[in-house]
Amino acid sequence: MSLYIFPIVLACAAATAVVVVAIRWERPRRGPGGPRIANLKPRSGWDEDSAAAFSLSHREPDQPFTIEQAHHAMQSHRQCRANTCPRKQAAFRTLVAAGRVVPDLRADGYAQ
């Protein structure tokens, strides 16, 4: 009886290992906060020159954002908090002024 149990247990363990490896292999490789900003691709409507000129720093922009640039900044800085990232804050204010975002008045720092 025990001679038949060992191959069954061994086969189940091997099948489980194959499934675990397959799941880990197919899952996208990400850091703790999502994909790196350097790996983000610009959305449609952005040519390579404007995407390259668009700064991915956290500094406040030199000129006011357009609505499209504000959307891109919000996506690029999605792991940042608007009250600590001047670039995301400027993008958020642009989207609020354009009526694209309605801030939650209960959220501290967003409605200012």
Side-chain angles (χ1 to χ4, degrees):
M1 175 93 165
S2 64
L3 290 176
Y4 295 110
I5 293 175
F6 180 73
I8 292 171
V9 170
L10 188 60
C12 289
T16 302
V18 167
V19 168
V20 168
V21 168
I23 290 172
R24 296 278 303 162
W25 189 267
E26 299 225 1
R27 198 169 59 181
R29 308 283 192 247
R30 291 185 172 189
R36 294 182 44 178
I37 290 177
N39 295 337
L40 292 176
K41 302 281 189 242
R43 302 231 178 215
S44 63
W46 283 73
D47 59 358
E48 292 298 319
D49 294 331
S50 63
F54 188 72
S55 174
L56 292 177
S57 73
H58 297 280
R59 289 182 293 120
E60 191 169 346
D62 297 331
Q63 299 175 352
F65 282 128
T66 65
I67 294 172
E68 188 174 341
Q69 289 171 334
H71 278 295
H72 181 73
M74 290 293 286
Q75 292 164 0
S76 298
H77 292 266
R78 69 176 179 259
Q79 67 270 24
C80 299
R81 295 183 53 87
N83 59 349
T84 60
C85 179
R87 194 161 203 89
K88 185 170 184 174
Q89 189 174 50
F92 188 82
R93 286 185 178 152
T94 299
L95 295 174
V96 168
R100 300 288 183 100
V101 173
V102 177
D104 184 354
L105 298 177
R106 297 171 295 174
D108 192 27
Y110 278 93
Q112 297 175 355

